Amino acid sequence: MSVIIAPSVLSADFANLQRDIEMINNSEADWFHVDVMDGVFVPNISFGFPVISAIKRHAKKPLDVHLMIVQPERYIQQFKDAGADILSVHIEASTHLHRSIQQIKQVGMQAGVAINPHTPVSSLSEVIADIDLICMMSVNPGFGGQKFIERTYAKISELKEMILKSNSKAKIEIDGGVDLKNASALLKAGADVFVAGNTVFSSKDPVETIRVLKATTV
Ligand code: DX5
Ligand code: ZN
C-alpha cells in the first residue's frame, strides 16, 4: 500500500483557501491535515471552528485535525460538528488521555495521539492498541517550514515494533519537515502517513509535488 499524503492547510494561502482546497481535491492527496493552535500549548495561533467548517464544505477528502491546544477534551464534540474525521490530541496536553481517546471514538471520529520530539515512544504503550493514528512530531510544533529532526527515524522504528507487538492498527504519521529528500527513508523506517506543508505549498507545481510524494518507494 502506498503512503498516505496529508497536505497541511497551515501552509495554504488563507486568502485563497477555496482555491487551495480544490487543488488538494484534484490531486493524489488522501487527507487534509488541519493544524489547530491555541497560543498556549504552542507559541502560535492558527484558526478554529469557523475555518474548519468552511474547509469541510469544500473538502472531498477526510479532515485529519491535529490539536495543539491545552485541555483538548473540552472541545471534542465541537471538532466533530465542525467536520473532523480524525482527531489527534497531544499526549503532553492530556491529563486523562485514555478518556479523551474513548470520547473521540464515541462521537464517531478516528482517534489519534500526537507526541512531541522530546516524548518517548514508550509513553504510548498503554494506549497503542486503542488508537488509529500516532502523529509523530518531527519538528517542535507551532510552525510550518521547520527543519526535520533526524532522531525521528529511530523513534519511528521503535514505534513500528510496538505497533506490531501489540497488534495495533495504528498508522504512523510524520509531521514536520517532510520533503522529497527524506520521504523514502521515512517510508523505510515505517511511516504510513506524510504531512507536508511547506514542501507542497511552496513548490512550483503542488499537484505534481503531491504526486511525487505519493509515489515514494523505499
Ligand atoms: C507544525 C504542524 C505541521 C506543519 C507542518 O506544528 O503540526 O502540521 O504544518 O509543516 P511543514 O511540512 O512545512 O513542516
Ligand atoms: Zn500538524
Side-chain angles (χ1 to χ4, degrees), residues 6 21 30 56 75 83 90 99 101 134 137 143 150-151 154 172-173 182 189 192 196-197 202 215 217:
I21 292 167
D30 300 278
K56 187 68 177 182
Y75 304 104
H90 264 269
R99 179 185 288 148
I101 290 166
I134 297 103
M137 294 310 304
F143 304 92
E150 297 290 323
R151 167 82 192 139
I172 303 177
E173 172 177 71
N182 59 23
D192 303 295
S202 62
T217 51

Side-chain angles (χ1 to χ4, degrees), residues 103-114:
Q103 286 174 346
I104 291 169
K105 295 203 283 194
Q106 259 163 28
V107 302
M109 294 181 285
Q110 291 191 44
V113 174

Side-chain angles (χ1 to χ4, degrees), residues 25-67:
N25 282 339
N26 295 323
S27 76
E28 289 183 37
D30 300 278
W31 299 345
F32 287 78
H33 186 79
V34 178
D35 289 306
V36 178
M37 305 177 181
D38 67 355
V40 180
F41 181 68
V42 287
N44 195 12
I45 298 174
S46 59
F47 47 74
F49 303 116
V51 173
I52 297 173
S53 302
I55 294 170
K56 187 68 177 182
R57 280 202 297 280
H58 300 284
K60 299 201 176 100
K61 299 170 182 182
L63 300 195
D64 164 38
V65 178
H66 174 196
L67 300 185

Side-chain angles (χ1 to χ4, degrees), residues 8 10-11 33 35 37 66 68 137 139-146 175-178 195-199:
S8 177
L10 188 65
S11 293
H33 186 79
D35 289 306
M37 305 177 181
H66 174 196
M68 284 158 276
M137 294 310 304
V139 297
N140 283 294
F143 304 92
Q146 301 183 84
D175 190 5
V178 174
V195 173
N198 191 56
T199 294

Side-chain angles (χ1 to χ4, degrees), residues 108-151:
M109 294 181 285
Q110 291 191 44
V113 174
I115 63 168
N116 279 336
H118 77 273
T119 300
V121 164
S122 58
S123 61
L124 292 164
S125 63
E126 299 305 319
V127 295
I128 193 75
D130 294 337
I131 59 182
D132 302 288
L133 185 78
I134 297 103
C135 176
M136 183 179 283
M137 294 310 304
S138 38
V139 297
N140 283 294
F143 304 92
Q146 301 183 84
K147 190 177 176 301
F148 179 83
I149 296 170
E150 297 290 323
R151 167 82 192 139

Side-chain angles (χ1 to χ4, degrees), residues 163-183:
I163 287 170
L164 291 173
K165 269 194 191 137
S166 58
N167 268 329
S168 166
K169 59 179 181 316
K171 292 183 168 67
I172 303 177
E173 172 177 71
I174 309 305
D175 190 5
V178 174
D179 61 26
L180 299 179
K181 291 194 288 288
N182 59 23

Side-chain angles (χ1 to χ4, degrees), residues 2-3 182-188 194 212-218:
S2 60
V3 66
N182 59 23
S184 178
L186 288 167
L187 190 66
K188 192 172 179 202
F194 292 158
V212 173
L213 277 173
K214 181 77 184 168
T216 303
T217 51
V218 296

